[in-house]
Amino acid sequence: SGGLFSHVQLSGIHVAESHPFLEEWSAPFDLSFQAGLQGGDLINFPNAYQYSPLVRAEAQHYNVHATRIYYDHMHRIFRAIPHEVVHCLQSKSEQLDSDPFNWSAEHDASAPASTLLAVVMGEAG
């Protein structure tokens, strides 16, 4: 109580494996985490064990260690999930960018993501 979102609203957020398009144009999207679907209750994540050769090649461009795809994927999970949870909350509160080139939702999701991760890790540990 007293917060913007209730425990029921937050506990409704769940994750599911994304289903890649497996096309050359889609490779950057096939390795992306995405959130805000289903009214802010769904975070889709890529499965690094299911990367196609095209997605694997794309991942090597972005990874810290080009040959350590699984290591980098795990690192991305810890960074991306809190960020995507904030996007879910933005979706639930109907926050929209007034300009499609504004990127304020990305900015707003990036700032508290590390703090959210620290809180979750503190409660889990």
Side-chain angles (χ1 to χ4, degrees), residues 34-107:
Q34 299 176 20
L37 307 170
Q38 295 183 358
D41 284 334
L42 179 62
I43 298 172
N44 283 332
F45 68 92
N47 182 343
Y49 293 104
Q50 301 295 323
Y51 282 174
S52 69
L54 287 170
V55 174
R56 183 176 293 277
E58 184 73 22
Q60 289 175 343
H61 292 291
Y62 297 104
N63 290 344
V64 176
H65 304 288
T67 59
R68 297 171 60 182
I69 287 177
Y70 303 119
Y71 171 86
D72 283 336
H73 185 72
M74 289 302 296
H75 185 257
R76 287 179 58 228
I77 287 171
F78 285 106
R79 286 190 346 254
I81 296 297
H83 177 91
E84 300 304 334
V85 167
V86 174
H87 279 317
C88 286
L89 298 176
Q90 289 170 330
S91 182
K92 287 176 178 290
S93 66
E94 299 179 4
Q95 176 186 344
L96 300 173
D97 282 334
S98 58
D99 179 341
F101 300 105
N102 189 0
W103 291 86
S104 66
E106 285 300 322
H107 173 270

Side-chain angles (χ1 to χ4, degrees), residues 5-6 12 24 42 48 53 62 79 83 104 108 110 114-115 123:
F5 298 97
S6 70
E24 187 172 349
L42 179 62
Y62 297 104
R79 286 190 346 254
H83 177 91
S104 66
D108 293 352
S110 296
S114 296
T115 303
E123 289 179 7

